[in-house]
Amino acid sequence: MKRISNGIKKYIPFFRAGLKSFLVYKAQVYGWLLIGIVEILFLFFLYNAIYKNSNSTEIGGFTFYEMILYGVTSFVFANVVSSETGWNIFVEVRDGTIVNTLTKPVSYRLRHLFTCFGEAFFKICFVAFPLLVVIYGIFLGCGFVAFNPIQFIFNILFFIIFMILAIVINDSIQYIVGVLTFYTQHMFGLDMFFTAIKNFLSGAMVPLSYMGMFGVVFSYLPFAFLASTPILILMGKVNILRILMFLGIAIGYEVLLEVINHSLFRHCVKKIVVQGG
């Protein structure tokens, strides 16, 4: 246990660095909130028009207010689990500073993971949690949605578990993207490609239930755990058996991603080319 504790202590400074990066650059939080307000207004007017012209009060298993709540939660959640690991690796490769890290007695993967945890900790405690409490309080108080109190408490607990898993899974995917820049030497196009796939397959853009059978298939892919599955759990639309099943699947995907990360990094680090160096 002492050995494990000492091993973890090596990465605490990286956690603090990730936390401080958001404390220093507060403008990005304000910008994120401004973008969120615009996006929420867009969702409201879009789905208001869709539901007004529909013959049913539910579309894809969502009422109008549930759809708005899903969209708002999706926006907050997607930003909480976002990771800068891919870009950080690219910058290190481009500037040559990656050499400094590789010569130190720390795991390159764990260094970026703990930095991501630091960023996520700030976003959860000071942005996401207060926003979600206010938003869900308004929707519940106004009677737009209704939840069983006891069930909702369990939903929140599972939501937190899946949020942590989503942070790790997304960071693992970002790590793969970053390591691929060892070959491409460019990040922008690669990041845009993976972001587009993630937003579509995760249900961040629209619920997967809107996609018919394709949505059912997509719900079992790792991307679904970055938005759709945790949000549906919080909204009480997933029963306990499926929650436990999804939990096992998510953990399995994370183990698989880390195996891929380890193998890919061992191969790529032998071929690293530092630009200008």
Side-chain angles (χ1 to χ4, degrees), residues 47 50-51 54-64 66-67 70 206-213 215-216 228 232 235 237:
Y47 285 108
I50 292 174
Y51 277 83
S54 173
N55 295 324
S56 175
T57 57
E58 287 191 8
I59 300 177
F62 292 86
T63 65
F64 170 70
E66 285 178 337
M67 189 63 245
Y70 179 94
V206 294
L208 296 180
S209 59
Y210 278 35
M211 304 179 191
M213 287 303 300
V216 175
S228 177
L232 293 180
M235 296 180 66
K237 291 186 175 293

Side-chain angles (χ1 to χ4, degrees), residues 139-185:
F139 273 72
L140 288 169
C142 294
F144 297 149
V145 295
F147 299 114
N148 180 291
I150 297 177
Q151 181 185 354
F152 190 54
I153 292 173
F154 281 101
N155 292 342
I156 293 174
L157 294 176
F158 279 114
F159 175 74
I160 293 172
I161 293 172
F162 275 88
M163 178 185 290
I164 295 171
L165 282 170
I167 292 170
V168 179
I169 290 173
N170 189 53
D171 188 69
S172 297
I173 295 173
Q174 276 293 307
Y175 187 83
I176 292 174
V177 175
V179 171
L180 288 177
T181 61
F182 286 23
Y183 293 108
T184 65
Q185 300 294 312

Side-chain angles (χ1 to χ4, degrees), residues 85 108-118 167-168 171-172 258:
T85 292
Y108 191 66
R109 172 73 188 108
L110 290 178
R111 175 211 158 187
H112 285 289
L113 181 60
F114 273 78
T115 302
C116 177
F117 280 153
I167 292 170
V168 179
D171 188 69
S172 297
E258 291 303 333

Side-chain angles (χ1 to χ4, degrees), residues 13-276:
F14 299 113
F15 176 89
R16 292 173 179 167
L19 176 61
K20 289 179 180 179
S21 67
F22 270 83
L23 291 174
V24 173
Y25 301 107
K26 297 183 180 67
Q28 61 184 320
V29 177
Y30 300 136
W32 175 77
L33 290 173
L34 179 61
I35 293 172
I37 293 172
V38 174
E39 184 170 318
I40 291 168
L41 288 174
F42 172 77
L43 286 174
F44 179 83
F45 290 116
L46 173 64
Y47 285 108
N48 185 50
I50 292 174
Y51 277 83
K52 275 189 175 180
N53 290 280
S54 173
N55 295 324
S56 175
T57 57
E58 287 191 8
I59 300 177
F62 292 86
T63 65
F64 170 70
Y65 288 112
E66 285 178 337
M67 189 63 245
I68 298 300
L69 187 60
Y70 179 94
V72 174
T73 309
S74 175
F75 174 79
V76 175
F77 190 83
N79 281 274
V80 167
V81 304
S82 63
S83 170
E84 297 294 326
T85 292
W87 279 99
N88 291 339
I89 294 174
F90 167 67
V91 171
E92 290 177 357
V93 172
R94 183 192 62 192
D95 298 342
T97 54
I98 187 174
V99 176
N100 299 329
T101 302
L102 294 178
T103 56
K104 293 178 180 177
V106 294
S107 165
Y108 191 66
R109 172 73 188 108
L110 290 178
R111 175 211 158 187
H112 285 289
L113 181 60
F114 273 78
T115 302
C116 177
F117 280 153
E119 297 171 354
F121 181 80
F122 175 86
K123 289 183 285 188
I124 291 172
C125 294
F126 299 102
V127 181
F129 181 73
L131 278 178
L132 290 178
V133 168
V134 171
I135 292 167
Y136 275 76
I138 292 173
F139 273 72
L140 288 169
C142 294
F144 297 149
V145 295
F147 299 114
N148 180 291
I150 297 177
Q151 181 185 354
F152 190 54
I153 292 173
F154 281 101
N155 292 342
I156 293 174
L157 294 176
F158 279 114
F159 175 74
I160 293 172
I161 293 172
F162 275 88
M163 178 185 290
I164 295 171
L165 282 170
I167 292 170
V168 179
I169 290 173
N170 189 53
D171 188 69
S172 297
I173 295 173
Q174 276 293 307
Y175 187 83
I176 292 174
V177 175
V179 171
L180 288 177
T181 61
F182 286 23
Y183 293 108
T184 65
Q185 300 294 312
H186 295 283
M187 181 63 179
F188 184 77
L190 198 62
D191 184 62
M192 290 286 289
F193 174 72
F194 274 90
T195 299
I197 291 178
K198 181 183 71 175
N199 289 342
F200 179 68
L201 297 182
S202 68
M205 299 175 66
V206 294
L208 296 180
S209 59
Y210 278 35
M211 304 179 191
M213 287 303 300
F214 288 104
V216 175
V217 175
F218 295 159
S219 66
Y220 290 94
L221 297 179
F223 298 102
F225 300 102
L226 305 182
S228 177
T229 302
I231 297 171
L232 293 180
I233 289 172
L234 181 61
M235 296 180 66
K237 291 186 175 293
V238 184
N239 61 48
I240 185 63
L241 292 179
R242 287 181 64 82
I243 289 175
L244 295 176
M245 179 187 70
F246 283 135
L247 182 61
I249 294 174
I251 293 173
Y253 272 128
E254 173 51 26
V255 172
L256 176 62
L257 286 169
E258 291 303 333
V259 171
I260 294 173
N261 281 335
H262 180 72
S263 301
L264 186 62
F265 182 77
R266 286 187 62 185
H267 183 267
C268 291
V269 77
K270 298 175 183 178
K271 300 179 179 294
I272 184 172
V273 176
V274 177
Q275 297 184 26

